[in-house]
Amino acid sequence: MTLQITIEQLRRLKLSGMVAGLEHQLSQTAYLELSFEQRLGHLVDAETSSRDNQRLRRLLKNARLKVHAEPEAIDYRPTREINRALVGDLLTCQWIEQRQNLLVTGQTGTGKTWLACCFAVQAARKGITVGYRRVGRLLEDMEIAHADGSLPKLRQQLAKLQLLVLDDFGLVPLTARGRSDLLELLDDRVGTSSTLVAGQLPIKDWHGFINDPALADAILDRLIHSSIKLTLRGESMRKLKSADQPSTG
């Protein structure tokens, strides 16, 4: 069997990583010094890496994150008062494995959305299914789903996500149906998956924002129970980034 036939068969088997690895080996004379087992091991590593990268791209595409935030780019400058140890623990994603929730709060511009997406990217790197939704837009979609009969399908899709990021909580007032839909959404996830909620309202004000004592108790019980809280302080990141830019005037 010729080498070209072998490469074509690998392509038919959709082993693109091994094809790339083999072509790389053929272009580097250093590989000639390795044993067959060593060269085969490199090919398997190349295929594994290729599949991992493909899965990550697929997970991130399906997540529809607002921003692509890399954990390596987290800004720990002292003025932000970020609990570095806590963030480090969160980046291990053990809280997701343990089905805990994460509540990220802070004033406008402190980087809540960016950091929430950062945790989502890290989760995707570990093969965890992720979804990002702004609360106001999600409740609008659920309202439409009520009308066209697709609500059960939408709820099932959201329930399957191992991590669901709910951004801008507290920004848009909740309707009576919105409160009920939010409760059902969280009830589907409690004890089976993790929810990350980000918003500028302090957690102590969430009960009043929901504006229905009974539903507020039920919603917050499902959110706050077994949750981790991360509060962002300091100056607006938009102002800090603007100050970091060189003056052009």
Side-chain angles (χ1 to χ4, degrees):
M1 181 181 295
T2 67
L3 181 60
Q4 188 57 41
I5 292 176
T6 298
I7 291 176
E8 290 175 359
Q9 289 182 335
L10 289 173
R11 287 199 174 103
R12 282 201 298 271
L13 292 170
K14 298 183 179 180
L15 298 174
S16 58
M18 293 191 75
V19 171
L22 180 56
E23 291 175 341
H24 177 70
Q25 288 189 16
L26 293 173
S27 68
Q28 303 292 323
T29 57
Y31 282 98
L32 297 175
E33 301 177 6
L34 301 181
S35 67
F36 171 79
E37 290 81 5
Q38 289 174 316
R39 294 185 66 173
L40 178 60
H42 281 290
L43 293 179
V44 173
D45 288 343
E47 180 62 32
T48 300
S49 178
S50 175
R51 294 194 178 202
D52 288 345
N53 289 335
Q54 289 175 11
R55 175 172 171 77
L56 176 59
R57 287 194 294 270
R58 184 172 65 253
L59 287 172
L60 291 176
K61 179 180 179 180
N62 292 339
R64 298 189 296 175
L65 300 178
K66 185 173 183 179
V67 294
H68 183 82
E70 300 283 351
E72 296 79 13
I74 296 176
D75 189 339
Y76 289 104
R77 70 180 73 192
T79 54
R80 298 195 70 195
E81 301 182 37
I82 290 181
N83 186 331
R84 192 164 189 159
L86 175 57
V87 171
D89 287 341
L90 292 171
L91 289 174
T92 67
C93 295
Q94 289 184 0
W95 61 282
I96 302 175
E97 296 171 4
Q98 296 169 358
R99 279 73 170 175
Q100 292 180 280
N101 296 329
L102 174 59
L103 313 179
V104 181
T105 57
Q107 295 182 352
T108 300
T110 51
K112 300 178 298 296
T113 295
W114 193 95
L115 197 57
C117 290
C118 179
F119 291 132
V121 168
Q122 181 68 1
R125 288 179 176 180
K126 293 182 177 292
I128 295 169
T129 55
V130 179
Y132 170 93
R133 305 298 291 267
R134 295 178 62 202
V135 173
R137 182 65 58 83
L138 173 59
L139 293 180
E140 288 178 2
D141 290 344
M142 297 184 87
E143 184 71 28
I144 294 172
H146 275 287
D148 64 18
S150 63
L151 184 61
K153 181 179 179 180
L154 176 58
R155 285 182 53 184
Q156 185 179 45
Q157 291 172 343
L158 296 170
K160 286 182 178 179
L161 295 170
Q162 292 169 279
L163 173 63
L164 174 62
V165 178
L166 296 177
D167 198 10
D168 288 336
F169 180 77
L171 192 61
V172 178
L174 299 176
T175 64
R177 176 170 278 180
R179 288 189 285 267
S180 297
D181 285 341
L182 182 59
L183 174 59
E184 292 298 326
L185 167 65
L186 296 173
D187 193 58
D188 288 341
R189 302 181 56 76
V190 66
T192 62
S193 49
S194 295
T195 304
L196 190 164
V197 179
Q200 65 185 49
L201 275 182
I203 295 174
K204 64 181 179 63
D205 295 335
W206 287 10
H207 196 282
F209 163 74
I210 296 172
N211 198 29
D212 182 307
L215 285 178
D217 286 344
I219 289 171
L220 296 183
D221 178 67
R222 287 158 177 77
L223 265 184
I224 297 178
H225 179 67
S226 298
S227 69
I228 301 170
K229 302 170 184 64
L230 176 62
T231 302
L232 301 182
R233 299 182 176 86
E235 298 181 66
S236 167
M237 287 303 296
R238 298 183 185 93
K239 292 181 180 179
L240 291 173
K241 289 180 179 179
S242 177
D244 287 341
Q245 296 297 319
S247 175
T248 57

